[in-house]
Amino acid sequence: MGGMVEAIERGYPQQEIAESSYRFQQAVERKEKVIVGVNDFVQQDEPPIEILYIDETASDTQLAKLETLKRTRNADAVARYRSTRCDRAAHGTTNLMPADHRRGPRLRHGRRRCATRFREVWGEYEESARHLVRTQPRNTRS
Amino acid sequence: MIAEPGLDGHDRGAKVIARALRDAGMEVIYTGLRQTPEQIVAACASGGRRRDRPVDSLGRPQPHRAAADGPAQSQKGLDDVLVVIGGIIPDLDIPKLKEIGVKGIFLPGTPMQEIVDFINANARARV
């Protein structure tokens, strides 16, 4: 197939995983596999579980902190870092981690400091539906 | 249409359901991972036209509470879309989800056939 990168691009491991989970689910439903509490020995009249709900204000607080950070940090230094170190890393063949994770007290742009630049250069992974199934989809509407 | 909102990789269930629906003879559009509620609604509103296919129903496995509000509330012109949702959903959230228009809620252990039957019984064809 040409190695793991090629295989992933062609969706081979993704298809195998999807295929395997589907077969697993079928086996569970036929009770060939038992998941205690799900398809066998299911507890009747289960007492309600107390659930911790995180208040919406938690995300507001966190977003406010982020806004403050972005406002107060040295924007020029961040931009410079992205257009130099991150850019070199994105276009090079060396290990990405040092550029992405390097600690620099003045910059304060987080551990994934190059993530934004990497996304700009490479784009984002988009999952393809062809990775869902091993065989060609049946044509249900012709 | 099967969509998976959020940041994580809990796509296993989504893919199993997609496969089950397909094997039951339905046409399935899977939007891929890490969709925002807005993206899901947009994909649904466009009827998957980009891919030359109509959208019959919208399923959202592994919801996040905030993500769950989005699609149902902002279904503009999508009143005829059957919204179903699946995954680990706290009991307390179930009435809230129903209130905002989620028709089917499927918890862990639901047989695939039950979901297929529910969609067949409740989704209306778009002409």
Side-chain angles (χ1 to χ4, degrees), chain A residues 63-141:
Chain A
L63 284 170
K65 275 166 86 177
L66 183 63
E67 279 313 307
T68 308
L69 171 70
K70 285 186 172 175
R71 215 174 41 243
T72 54
R73 73 185 177 187
N74 185 338
D76 290 341
V78 171
R80 211 161 38 244
Y81 189 90
R82 283 195 179 134
S83 63
T84 54
R85 279 214 56 170
C86 297
D87 207 72
R88 272 201 303 278
H91 288 103
T93 54
T94 52
N95 189 354
L96 301 172
M97 286 301 161
D100 201 27
H101 281 209
R102 193 179 68 119
R103 277 293 186 208
R106 296 252 180 90
L107 288 177
R108 292 204 303 156
H109 57 137
R111 299 229 36 172
R112 297 299 319 280
R113 54 187 52 207
C114 285
T116 303
R117 187 70 191 121
F118 289 168
R119 270 194 287 272
E120 286 165 6
V121 175
W122 300 326
E124 278 188 83
Y125 173 68
E126 262 187 59
E127 209 178 17
S128 162
R130 77 197 156 84
H131 294 168
L132 280 180
V133 282
R134 190 154 59 184
T135 49
Q136 281 292 309
R138 265 192 308 195
N139 192 1
T140 53
R141 196 182 297 254

Coordinates of all heavy atoms in Angstrom, one line a residue, chain A residues 63-141:
Chain A
L63 N -13.3 32.5 28.7 CA -13.2 33.3 27.5 C -12.8 34.7 27.9 O -12.0 35.3 27.1 CB -14.6 33.4 26.8 CG -15.0 32.2 26.1 CD1 -16.4 32.2 25.6 CD2 -14.1 32.0 24.8
A64 N -13.2 35.3 29.0 CA -12.8 36.6 29.4 C -11.3 36.6 29.7 O -10.6 37.6 29.3 CB -13.6 37.0 30.7
K65 N -10.8 35.5 30.3 CA -9.4 35.5 30.6 C -8.6 35.4 29.3 O -7.5 36.1 29.2 CB -9.1 34.2 31.4 CG -9.3 34.4 32.9 CD -9.3 33.1 33.6 CE -7.9 32.5 34.0 NZ -8.1 31.3 34.8
L66 N -9.1 34.7 28.3 CA -8.4 34.6 27.1 C -8.4 35.9 26.3 O -7.4 36.3 25.8 CB -9.1 33.5 26.2 CG -8.5 33.2 24.8 CD1 -7.1 32.6 25.0 CD2 -9.4 32.3 24.0
E67 N -9.5 36.6 26.4 CA -9.6 37.9 25.8 C -8.5 38.9 26.4 O -7.9 39.6 25.7 CB -11.0 38.5 25.9 CG -12.0 38.0 24.9 CD -11.4 38.0 23.5 OE1 -10.9 39.1 23.0 OE2 -11.4 37.0 22.8
T68 N -8.5 38.8 27.7 CA -7.5 39.7 28.4 C -6.1 39.4 28.0 O -5.3 40.3 27.7 CB -7.7 39.5 30.0 OG1 -9.0 39.7 30.3 CG2 -6.8 40.5 30.7
L69 N -5.8 38.1 27.9 CA -4.5 37.6 27.5 C -4.1 38.2 26.1 O -3.1 38.7 25.9 CB -4.4 36.1 27.5 CG -3.1 35.5 26.9 CD1 -1.9 35.8 27.8 CD2 -3.3 34.0 26.7
K70 N -5.1 38.0 25.2 CA -4.8 38.5 23.8 C -4.6 40.0 23.8 O -3.9 40.5 22.9 CB -6.0 38.0 22.9 CG -5.9 36.5 22.6 CD -7.0 36.1 21.6 CE -6.8 34.7 21.2 NZ -7.9 34.2 20.3
R71 N -5.4 40.7 24.6 CA -5.3 42.1 24.6 C -4.0 42.6 25.2 O -3.4 43.6 24.7 CB -6.5 42.7 25.4 CG -7.0 44.0 24.8 CD -8.3 44.5 25.5 NE -8.2 44.3 27.0 CZ -9.0 43.5 27.7 NH1 -10.0 42.8 27.0 NH2 -8.9 43.4 29.0
T72 N -3.5 41.9 26.2 CA -2.4 42.5 27.0 C -1.0 41.9 26.5 O 0.0 42.5 26.8 CB -2.5 42.2 28.5 OG1 -2.7 40.8 28.6 CG2 -3.7 43.0 29.0
R73 N -1.0 40.8 25.8 CA 0.3 40.3 25.4 C 0.8 41.1 24.2 O 0.1 41.9 23.6 CB 0.2 38.8 25.0 CG -0.5 38.6 23.7 CD -0.7 37.1 23.5 NE -1.4 36.9 22.2 CZ -1.9 35.8 21.8 NH1 -1.7 34.7 22.6 NH2 -2.5 35.6 20.7
N74 N 2.1 40.9 24.0 CA 2.8 41.6 22.9 C 2.3 41.0 21.6 O 2.9 40.1 21.1 CB 4.3 41.5 23.1 CG 5.0 42.4 22.2 OD1 4.5 42.7 21.1 ND2 6.3 42.7 22.5
A75 N 1.4 41.7 20.9 CA 0.8 41.2 19.7 C 1.9 41.1 18.6 O 1.9 40.2 17.8 CB -0.4 42.0 19.3
D76 N 2.7 42.1 18.6 CA 3.8 42.1 17.5 C 4.7 40.9 17.7 O 5.1 40.3 16.7 CB 4.6 43.4 17.6 CG 3.8 44.6 17.2 OD1 2.7 44.4 16.5 OD2 4.2 45.7 17.5
A77 N 5.1 40.6 18.9 CA 6.0 39.5 19.1 C 5.3 38.2 18.8 O 6.0 37.3 18.2 CB 6.4 39.5 20.6
V78 N 4.0 38.1 19.0 CA 3.3 36.8 18.7 C 3.3 36.7 17.2 O 3.6 35.6 16.6 CB 1.9 36.9 19.2 CG1 1.0 35.7 18.7 CG2 1.9 36.8 20.8
A79 N 3.0 37.8 16.5 CA 2.9 37.7 15.0 C 4.3 37.4 14.4 O 4.4 36.6 13.5 CB 2.4 39.1 14.5
R80 N 5.3 38.0 15.0 CA 6.6 37.8 14.5 C 7.0 36.3 14.7 O 7.6 35.7 13.8 CB 7.6 38.7 15.3 CG 8.8 39.1 14.5 CD 9.5 40.3 15.0 NE 9.6 40.4 16.5 CZ 9.0 41.4 17.2 NH1 8.3 42.3 16.6 NH2 9.2 41.4 18.5
Y81 N 6.7 35.8 15.9 CA 7.0 34.4 16.2 C 6.3 33.5 15.1 O 6.9 32.5 14.6 CB 6.5 34.0 17.6 CG 7.0 32.6 18.0 CD1 8.2 32.5 18.7 CD2 6.2 31.5 17.8 CE1 8.7 31.2 19.1 CE2 6.7 30.3 18.2 CZ 7.9 30.1 18.8 OH 8.3 28.9 19.2
R82 N 5.0 33.8 14.9 CA 4.3 33.0 13.9 C 4.9 33.0 12.5 O 4.9 32.0 11.8 CB 2.8 33.4 13.9 CG 2.0 33.0 15.1 CD 0.6 33.1 14.9 NE -0.1 32.6 16.1 CZ -1.1 33.2 16.7 NH1 -1.6 34.4 16.2 NH2 -1.7 32.7 17.7
S83 N 5.3 34.2 12.1 CA 5.8 34.4 10.7 C 7.2 33.9 10.6 O 7.7 33.8 9.5 CB 5.6 35.8 10.3 OG 6.4 36.7 11.0
T84 N 7.9 33.7 11.7 CA 9.3 33.2 11.5 C 9.4 31.8 12.0 O 9.4 30.9 11.1 CB 10.2 34.1 12.4 OG1 9.8 34.2 13.7 CG2 10.3 35.5 11.8
R85 N 9.4 31.5 13.3 CA 9.6 30.2 13.8 C 8.5 29.2 13.3 O 8.8 28.1 12.9 CB 9.7 30.1 15.3 CG 11.1 30.5 15.7 CD 11.6 29.8 16.9 NE 11.6 28.4 16.9 CZ 12.1 27.6 17.8 NH1 12.7 28.1 18.8 NH2 12.0 26.3 17.7
C86 N 7.3 29.6 13.5 CA 6.2 28.7 13.1 C 6.2 28.5 11.6 O 6.0 27.3 11.2 CB 4.8 29.3 13.5 SG 4.6 29.6 15.3
D87 N 6.4 29.5 10.9 CA 6.4 29.4 9.5 C 7.5 28.5 9.0 O 7.3 27.6 8.1 CB 6.6 30.8 8.9 CG 6.0 30.9 7.5 OD1 4.8 30.9 7.4 OD2 6.8 30.8 6.5
R88 N 8.7 28.6 9.6 CA 9.8 27.8 9.2 C 9.5 26.3 9.5 O 9.8 25.4 8.7 CB 11.1 28.2 9.9 CG 11.9 29.3 9.2 CD 13.4 29.3 9.6 NE 13.5 29.5 11.1 CZ 13.5 30.6 11.7 NH1 13.3 31.7 11.0 NH2 13.7 30.7 13.0
A89 N 8.9 26.1 10.7 CA 8.6 24.8 11.1 C 7.6 24.2 10.1 O 7.7 23.0 9.7 CB 8.0 24.8 12.5
A90 N 6.6 25.0 9.8 CA 5.5 24.5 8.9 C 6.0 24.1 7.5 O 5.5 23.2 6.9 CB 4.4 25.5 8.8
H91 N 7.0 24.8 7.1 CA 7.5 24.6 5.7 C 8.8 23.7 5.7 O 9.2 23.3 4.6 CB 7.9 25.9 5.0 CG 6.6 26.7 4.6 ND1 6.2 27.8 5.3 CD2 5.7 26.5 3.6 CE1 5.1 28.2 4.8 NE2 4.8 27.5 3.8
G92 N 9.3 23.4 6.9 CA 10.5 22.6 6.9 C 10.2 21.1 7.1 O 9.1 20.6 6.9
T93 N 11.3 20.4 7.4 CA 11.1 18.9 7.6 C 11.6 18.5 8.9 O 11.7 17.3 9.2 CB 12.0 18.2 6.5 OG1 13.3 18.7 6.6 CG2 11.5 18.4 5.1
T94 N 11.8 19.5 9.8 CA 12.3 19.2 11.1 C 11.2 19.0 12.1 O 10.0 19.2 11.8 CB 13.2 20.3 11.7 OG1 12.5 21.5 11.6 CG2 14.5 20.4 10.9
N95 N 11.5 18.5 13.3 CA 10.5 18.3 14.3 C 9.7 19.6 14.6 O 10.3 20.6 14.8 CB 11.3 17.8 15.6 CG 10.3 17.3 16.7 OD1 9.1 17.5 16.6 ND2 10.9 16.8 17.7
L96 N 8.4 19.5 14.7 CA 7.6 20.6 14.9 C 7.5 21.0 16.4 O 7.2 22.2 16.7 CB 6.1 20.3 14.4 CG 6.0 19.9 13.0 CD1 4.6 19.5 12.7 CD2 6.3 21.1 12.1
M97 N 7.7 20.1 17.2 CA 7.4 20.3 18.6 C 8.1 21.5 19.3 O 7.5 22.2 20.0 CB 7.6 19.0 19.5 CG 6.6 18.0 19.2 SD 4.9 18.6 19.7 CE 3.9 17.4 18.8
P98 N 9.4 21.6 19.0 CA 10.1 22.7 19.7 C 9.5 24.1 19.3 O 9.4 24.9 20.2 CB 11.6 22.6 19.1 CG 11.7 21.2 18.7 CD 10.3 20.8 18.2
A99 N 9.1 24.3 18.1 CA 8.6 25.6 17.7 C 7.2 25.7 18.3 O 6.8 26.8 18.8 CB 8.5 25.7 16.2
D100 N 6.4 24.6 18.4 CA 5.0 24.7 18.8 C 4.9 24.8 20.3 O 4.0 25.4 20.8 CB 4.3 23.4 18.3 CG 2.8 23.6 18.3 OD1 2.4 24.7 18.1 OD2 2.1 22.6 18.4
H101 N 5.9 24.2 21.0 CA 5.7 24.1 22.5 C 6.7 24.9 23.3 O 6.7 24.9 24.5 CB 5.8 22.6 22.9 CG 4.5 21.9 22.7 ND1 4.1 20.8 23.5 CD2 3.5 22.1 21.8 CE1 2.9 20.4 23.1 NE2 2.6 21.1 22.0
R102 N 7.6 25.5 22.6 CA 8.7 26.2 23.3 C 8.2 27.2 24.3 O 7.3 28.0 24.0 CB 9.6 26.9 22.3 CG 11.0 27.4 22.9 CD 11.8 28.1 21.9 NE 11.2 29.3 21.5 CZ 11.8 30.5 21.6 NH1 13.0 30.6 22.1 NH2 11.2 31.6 21.2
R103 N 8.7 27.2 25.5 CA 8.3 28.1 26.5 C 9.0 29.5 26.3 O 10.2 29.6 26.2 CB 8.7 27.6 27.9 CG 7.7 26.6 28.4 CD 6.4 27.3 28.7 NE 5.4 26.4 29.3 CZ 4.2 26.6 29.2 NH1 3.7 27.6 28.5 NH2 3.3 25.8 29.8
G104 N 8.2 30.5 26.3 CA 8.8 31.9 26.2 C 7.9 32.8 27.1 O 6.8 33.0 26.7
P105 N 8.4 33.2 28.2 CA 7.6 33.9 29.1 C 7.0 35.2 28.6 O 5.9 35.6 28.9 CB 8.5 34.2 30.3 CG 9.9 34.0 29.8 CD 9.8 33.0 28.7
R106 N 7.7 35.8 27.7 CA 7.2 37.1 27.2 C 6.0 36.9 26.2 O 5.2 37.8 26.1 CB 8.3 37.9 26.4 CG 9.5 38.2 27.3 CD 9.5 39.8 27.5 NE 10.6 40.1 28.4 CZ 11.8 40.4 27.9 NH1 12.0 40.4 26.6 NH2 12.7 40.7 28.7
L107 N 6.0 35.8 25.4 CA 5.1 35.7 24.3 C 3.7 35.3 24.9 O 2.7 35.8 24.4 CB 5.5 34.7 23.3 CG 6.7 35.1 22.5 CD1 7.1 34.0 21.6 CD2 6.3 36.3 21.6
R108 N 3.6 34.4 25.8 CA 2.4 34.0 26.4 C 1.3 33.7 25.3 O 0.2 34.2 25.4 CB 1.8 35.0 27.4 CG 2.7 35.2 28.6 CD 1.9 35.8 29.7 NE 1.3 37.0 29.4 CZ 0.3 37.5 30.0 NH1 -0.3 36.8 30.9 NH2 -0.2 38.7 29.7
H109 N 1.6 32.9 24.4 CA 0.5 32.4 23.5 C 0.3 30.9 23.6 O 0.0 30.3 22.6 CB 0.5 33.0 22.1 CG 1.7 32.8 21.3 ND1 1.7 32.4 20.0 CD2 3.0 32.9 21.5 CE1 2.9 32.3 19.5 NE2 3.7 32.6 20.4
G110 N 0.5 30.4 24.7 CA 0.0 29.0 25.0 C 0.9 28.0 24.4 O 1.9 28.2 23.8
R111 N 0.6 26.7 24.8 CA 1.5 25.6 24.4 C 1.4 25.3 22.9 O 2.4 24.9 22.3 CB 1.1 24.4 25.2 CG 1.2 24.6 26.6 CD 1.9 23.5 27.3 NE 3.1 22.9 26.7 CZ 3.8 22.1 27.4 NH1 3.5 21.8 28.7 NH2 4.8 21.5 26.9
R112 N 0.2 25.5 22.3 CA 0.1 25.3 20.9 C 0.3 26.6 20.2 O -0.5 27.1 19.5 CB -1.2 24.7 20.5 CG -1.5 23.3 21.1 CD -0.5 22.3 20.7 NE -0.2 22.3 19.3 CZ -0.9 21.8 18.3 NH1 -2.0 21.2 18.6 NH2 -0.6 22.0 17.0
R113 N 1.5 27.2 20.4 CA 1.7 28.5 19.9 C 1.7 28.6 18.3 O 1.5 29.7 17.8 CB 2.9 29.1 20.5 CG 4.1 28.3 20.3 CD 5.3 28.9 21.0 NE 4.9 29.1 22.4 CZ 5.5 30.0 23.2 NH1 6.4 30.8 22.7 NH2 5.1 30.1 24.4
C114 N 2.0 27.5 17.7 CA 2.0 27.5 16.2 C 0.8 27.0 15.6 O 0.7 27.0 14.4 CB 3.2 26.8 15.7 SG 4.8 27.6 16.0
A115 N -0.2 26.5 16.4 CA -1.3 25.9 15.8 C -2.0 26.7 14.7 O -2.4 26.2 13.7 CB -2.3 25.4 16.9
T116 N -2.2 28.0 15.1 CA -2.9 28.9 14.1 C -2.2 28.9 12.8 O -2.8 28.8 11.7 CB -3.0 30.3 14.7 OG1 -3.7 30.2 16.0 CG2 -3.8 31.2 13.8
R117 N -0.8 29.1 12.9 CA 0.0 29.2 11.7 C -0.1 27.9 10.9 O -0.2 27.9 9.7 CB 1.4 29.6 12.0 CG 2.3 29.9 10.8 CD 1.9 31.2 10.1 NE 2.5 31.4 8.8 CZ 1.9 31.5 7.7 NH1 0.6 31.4 7.7 NH2 2.5 31.6 6.6
F118 N 0.0 26.8 11.6 CA 0.0 25.5 11.0 C -1.3 25.3 10.2 O -1.3 24.8 9.1 CB 0.2 24.4 12.0 CG 1.6 24.3 12.6 CD1 1.8 23.5 13.7 CD2 2.6 24.9 12.0 CE1 3.0 23.3 14.2 CE2 3.9 24.8 12.6 CZ 4.1 24.0 13.7
R119 N -2.4 25.7 10.8 CA -3.7 25.6 10.1 C -3.7 26.4 8.9 O -4.3 26.0 7.9 CB -4.8 26.0 11.1 CG -5.4 24.9 11.9 CD -6.7 25.2 12.5 NE -6.5 26.2 13.6 CZ -6.3 25.8 14.9 NH1 -6.3 24.5 15.2 NH2 -6.1 26.7 15.8
E120 N -3.1 27.6 9.0 CA -3.1 28.5 7.8 C -2.3 27.9 6.6 O -2.7 27.9 5.5 CB -2.5 29.9 8.1 CG -3.4 30.8 8.9 CD -2.6 31.9 9.6 OE1 -1.4 32.1 9.3 OE2 -3.2 32.7 10.3
V121 N -1.2 27.3 7.0 CA -0.3 26.7 6.0 C -0.8 25.4 5.4 O -0.9 25.2 4.2 CB 1.1 26.5 6.6 CG1 2.0 25.8 5.5 CG2 1.7 27.8 6.9
W122 N -1.3 24.5 6.3 CA -1.7 23.2 5.9 C -3.2 23.0 5.7 O -3.6 22.0 5.1 CB -1.2 22.1 7.0 CG 0.2 22.1 7.2 CD1 1.2 22.3 6.3 CD2 0.9 21.8 8.4 NE1 2.4 22.2 6.9 CE2 2.3 21.9 8.2 CE3 0.4 21.5 9.7 CZ2 3.2 21.7 9.2 CZ3 1.4 21.3 10.7 CH2 2.7 21.4 10.4
G123 N -4.0 23.8 6.3 CA -5.4 23.6 6.3 C -5.7 22.6 7.4 O -4.9 22.2 8.2
E124 N -7.0 22.2 7.5 CA -7.4 21.2 8.5 C -7.8 19.9 7.9 O -8.3 19.9 6.8 CB -8.5 21.8 9.3 CG -8.1 22.8 10.4 CD -9.2 23.2 11.3 OE1 -9.5 22.4 12.2 OE2 -9.8 24.2 11.1
Y125 N -7.7 18.9 8.7 CA -8.1 17.5 8.2 C -9.6 17.5 8.1 O -10.3 17.9 9.0 CB -7.6 16.5 9.3 CG -8.2 15.1 9.0 CD1 -7.7 14.4 7.9 CD2 -9.1 14.6 9.8 CE1 -8.2 13.1 7.7 CE2 -9.6 13.3 9.6 CZ -9.2 12.6 8.5 OH -9.7 11.3 8.3
E126 N -10.0 17.1 6.9 CA -11.4 16.9 6.7 C -11.7 15.4 6.5 O -11.1 14.8 5.6 CB -11.9 17.7 5.5 CG -12.5 19.0 5.9 CD -13.1 19.7 4.7 OE1 -14.0 19.1 4.1 OE2 -12.7 20.8 4.4
E127 N -12.6 14.9 7.3 CA -12.9 13.5 7.2 C -13.7 13.2 5.9 O -14.6 14.0 5.6 CB -13.6 13.1 8.4 CG -13.4 11.7 8.8 CD -14.2 11.3 10.0 OE1 -15.1 12.1 10.4 OE2 -13.9 10.3 10.7
S128 N -13.4 12.2 5.3 CA -14.1 11.9 4.1 C -15.1 10.7 4.3 O -14.8 9.7 5.0 CB -13.2 11.5 3.0 OG -13.9 10.8 1.9
A129 N -16.3 10.8 3.7 CA -17.3 9.7 4.0 C -16.8 8.4 3.4 O -17.2 7.4 3.8 CB -18.6 10.1 3.3
R130 N -15.9 8.5 2.4 CA -15.4 7.2 1.8 C -14.6 6.4 2.8 O -14.4 5.2 2.6 CB -14.7 7.5 0.5 CG -13.3 8.0 0.7 CD -12.7 8.6 -0.5 NE -11.6 9.5 -0.2 CZ -10.4 9.2 0.0 NH1 -10.0 7.9 -0.1 NH2 -9.5 10.1 0.3
H131 N -14.3 7.0 4.0 CA -13.6 6.3 5.0 C -14.5 5.5 5.9 O -14.1 4.8 6.8 CB -12.7 7.3 5.9 CG -11.6 7.9 5.1 ND1 -10.9 9.0 5.6 CD2 -11.1 7.7 3.9 CE1 -10.0 9.3 4.7 NE2 -10.1 8.6 3.7
L132 N -15.8 5.6 5.6 CA -16.7 5.0 6.5 C -16.9 3.5 6.2 O -17.1 2.7 7.1 CB -18.1 5.6 6.3 CG -18.4 6.9 7.0 CD1 -19.8 7.3 6.7 CD2 -18.3 6.7 8.5
V133 N -16.8 3.1 5.0 CA -17.1 1.7 4.6 C -16.0 1.2 3.7 O -15.4 1.9 2.9 CB -18.5 1.6 4.0 CG1 -19.6 1.7 5.0 CG2 -18.7 2.7 2.9
R134 N -15.8 -0.1 3.8 CA -14.8 -0.7 3.1 C -15.2 -0.9 1.6 O -14.5 -0.7 0.7 CB -14.5 -2.1 3.7 CG -13.2 -2.7 3.1 CD -12.6 -3.6 4.1 NE -13.5 -4.6 4.6 CZ -13.3 -5.5 5.5 NH1 -12.1 -5.5 6.2 NH2 -14.1 -6.4 5.9
T135 N -16.5 -1.2 1.5 CA -16.9 -1.5 0.1 C -17.5 -0.2 -0.5 O -17.8 0.7 0.2 CB -18.0 -2.6 0.2 OG1 -19.0 -2.2 1.2 CG2 -17.4 -3.9 0.5
Q136 N -17.8 -0.3 -1.7 CA -18.4 0.9 -2.4 C -19.8 1.0 -1.8 O -20.5 0.0 -1.6 CB -18.5 0.6 -3.9 CG -17.2 0.9 -4.6 CD -16.8 2.3 -4.6 OE1 -17.6 3.2 -5.0 NE2 -15.7 2.7 -4.1
P137 N -20.3 2.3 -1.6 CA -21.7 2.4 -1.1 C -22.7 1.9 -2.1 O -22.5 2.0 -3.3 CB -21.8 3.9 -0.9 CG -20.5 4.5 -1.1 CD -19.6 3.5 -1.8
R138 N -23.7 1.3 -1.5 CA -24.8 0.9 -2.4 C -25.5 2.1 -3.0 O -25.7 3.1 -2.3 CB -25.8 0.1 -1.6 CG -25.6 -1.4 -1.6 CD -26.8 -2.1 -1.1 NE -27.1 -1.5 0.2 CZ -27.9 -2.1 1.1 NH1 -28.5 -3.2 0.8 NH2 -28.2 -1.5 2.3
N139 N -25.9 2.0 -4.2 CA -26.6 3.1 -4.8 C -28.1 2.9 -4.5 O -28.8 2.1 -5.1 CB -26.3 3.1 -6.3 CG -26.8 4.4 -6.9 OD1 -27.3 5.3 -6.2 ND2 -26.7 4.5 -8.2
T140 N -28.5 3.7 -3.5 CA -29.9 3.6 -3.1 C -30.8 4.5 -3.9 O -32.0 4.4 -3.7 CB -30.0 3.9 -1.6 OG1 -29.5 5.1 -1.4 CG2 -29.3 2.8 -0.8
R141 N -30.3 5.4 -4.6 CA -31.2 6.4 -5.3 C -30.6 6.6 -6.7 O -29.5 7.2 -6.8 CB -31.2 7.7 -4.5 CG -32.3 8.6 -4.9 CD -32.1 9.9 -4.1 NE -32.3 9.6 -2.7 CZ -33.4 9.9 -2.0 NH1 -34.3 10.6 -2.6 NH2 -33.4 9.7 -0.7

